[in-house]
Amino acid sequence: SGTVLIVARRGGDWTDCLDVLSERYAYRVVHVGSVAEALTTMSGVHVDLAVAEDRKDETIGLDFLTRLRVSHPEIMRVYVTSEGSPLSYD
């Protein structure tokens, strides 16, 4: 199976998602807390899917995924926003 890279703050609502991806679907899941950590991880690990989270008034995750579109077009990308963010659909 593939590798999923999740760029999000530690803790939060990711525990269930990480468990499902790794235990039920046998993905290798790498959870990092920053874009710098993500880039370091990507230098040594083939990533199939990148998930990046932003909270209200942030675009760090979106910026990271936008750069990946150019540097690693083969990686699928998912952007996650918090409720009430200008880019979320309530």
Side-chain angles (χ1 to χ4, degrees), residues 26-77:
Y27 283 101
R28 177 182 180 191
V29 179
V30 181
H31 183 198
V32 298
S34 70
V35 170
E37 268 186 282
L39 295 173
T40 299
T41 299
M42 290 177 64
S43 68
V45 174
H46 173 77
V47 173
D48 299 291
L49 171 66
V51 179
E53 171 190 47
D54 277 335
R55 303 218 180 200
K56 193 171 184 173
D57 300 327
E58 290 182 355
T59 60
I60 297 165
L62 181 60
D63 296 342
F64 170 67
L65 293 176
T66 301
R67 285 184 294 178
L68 276 188
R69 184 172 182 239
V70 174
S71 65
H72 296 81
E74 73 284 0
I75 295 176
M76 294 183 66
R77 298 161 309 278

